[in-house]
């Protein structure tokens, strides 16, 4: 087993081990004094893992309910949260009880937000089953839902009490969801670790996926431990996300996954940095080639004016400016404030 300790205001551990999903009940008992557990999952994940998790929880004599929502980003809205609240209230959950988020990033974001806000905060455990959630979204305590005006505009910082990562769950994922997660993996190499980026270029990441997961969550752990609420350094984790979120919004969060949009966003913002003389020439081509290696798109038909307009409602705006994340080189990133009215020209290449 690999264990990564996260030293936030509410410290917790990330456990990485094949088969750990079948020990979920033992970890609920170890990490909490819960008598009741609500498992939040989606319609796809439930088919594969719901009964294994419920069996593990039942073995620990825990009282369990399950909430299943339709899989997909389209479910990530306040209406779904309202339905989760109803299950929690009808089950008479207390502050000592626990929510288990069993699924990908959408599931973790929503279950975490419900946990952050129900009874003004109850505990939750992340059991991420997608590569994107395992390497990124399950760690760091960001929770939330989308609004029609933009992605993750309603949310809260609420750290889990533990993260259980079972790499074997990746075996049931379609290839496009593996690619989706690889966008976030590539991001970590871009912003913090040139050697890791080079390893992704030379070796198949899936051949040593446990090491890849550990590297990504360790990088995020370090950043989040220094800046839990995104006052500075944590913004670097948004590399590619400003334009990525804009692209998702343009398509109304359908037809393009988060990872696909972020891959395009990383390539476009690297090219913009090159145009400005900030990012070394050839950086965008390296990112593009690596994205293509892992079957991610590197361009989109949406226009730059449309992207700039969609980015106006992004969380990273501050008054009349927006904080972009640019690269001085692979593995070296920084925050670049830019007036909003200059964004379209900045990203047009």
């Amino acid at each position: 087993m690999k264990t990564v300790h996260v030293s936030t205001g509410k410290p917790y551990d990330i456990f990485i081990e094949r088969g750990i999903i079948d020990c979920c009940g033992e970890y609920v008992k170890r990490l909490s004094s819960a008598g009741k557990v609500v498992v939040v999952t989606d319609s796809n994940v439930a088919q594969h893992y719901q009964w294994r998790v419920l069996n593990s929880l039942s073995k620990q004599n825990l009282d369990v309910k399950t909430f299943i929502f339709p899989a997909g980003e389209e479910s990530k809205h306040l209406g779904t949260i309202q339905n989760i609240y109803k299950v929690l209230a009808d089950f008479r959950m207390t502050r000592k009880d626990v929510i288990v988020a069993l699924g990908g990033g959408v599931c973790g974001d929503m279950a975490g937000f419900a946990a952050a806000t129900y009874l003004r905060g109850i505990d939750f455990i992340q059991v991420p089953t997608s590569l994107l959630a395992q390497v990124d979204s399950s760690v760091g305590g960001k929770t939330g839902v989308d609004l029609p005006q933009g992605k993750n505009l309603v949310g809260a910082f609420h750290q889990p009490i533990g993260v259980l990562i079972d790499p074997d769950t990746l075996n049931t994922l379609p290839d496009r969801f593996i690619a989706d997660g690889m966008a976030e993996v590539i991001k970590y190499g871009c912003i913090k670790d040139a050697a890791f980026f080079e390893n992704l270029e030379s070796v198949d990441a899936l051949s040593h996926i446990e090491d890849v997961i550990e590297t990504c969550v360790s990088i995020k752990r370090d950043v989040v431990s220094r800046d839990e609420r995104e006052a500075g350094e944590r913004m670097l984790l948004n590399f590619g996300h400003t334009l990525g979120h804009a692209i998702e919004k343009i398509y109304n969060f359908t037809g393009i996954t988060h990872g696909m949009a972020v891959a395009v966003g990383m390539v476009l913002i690297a090219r913009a940095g090159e145009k400005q003389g900030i990012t070394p020439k050839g950086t965008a081509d390296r990112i593009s080639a690596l994205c293509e290696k892992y079957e991610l798109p590197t361009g989109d038909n949406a226009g730059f004016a449309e992207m700039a307009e969609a980015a106006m409602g992004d969380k990273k705006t501050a008054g009349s400016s927006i904080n972009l994340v640019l690269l001085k080189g692979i593995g070296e990133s920084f925050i670049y404030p830019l007036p909003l009215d200059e964004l379209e020209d900045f990203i047009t290449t």
Side-chain angles (χ1 to χ4, degrees), residues 1 15 17 19-32 34 37-40 49-62 64 98-103 124-128 161-166:
M1 176 187 289
F15 305 97
E17 184 176 35
I20 198 172
I21 198 168
D22 294 309
C23 303
C24 180
E26 297 172 26
Y27 282 89
V28 170
K29 279 292 190 182
R30 182 197 305 183
L31 299 173
S32 77
V37 179
V38 168
V39 177
V40 176
Y49 302 112
Q50 176 189 187
W51 299 113
R52 289 171 62 180
V53 169
L54 293 182
N55 183 56
S56 177
L57 293 168
S58 296
K59 285 180 179 178
Q60 300 299 321
N61 297 314
L62 293 161
V64 184
V98 169
I99 292 175
V100 169
L102 173 66
F124 81 114
I125 293 174
Q126 290 271 22
V127 186
I161 59 171
V163 181
L164 312 181
I165 297 177
D166 186 343

Side-chain angles (χ1 to χ4, degrees), residues 6 31 76 79 103-104 145 163 168 203 208 218 261 312 315 346:
V6 184
L31 299 173
K76 193 177 170 186
V145 294
V163 181
D168 281 344
V203 180
H208 60 125
S218 295
M312 294 292 183
K315 301 185 304 302
F346 188 90

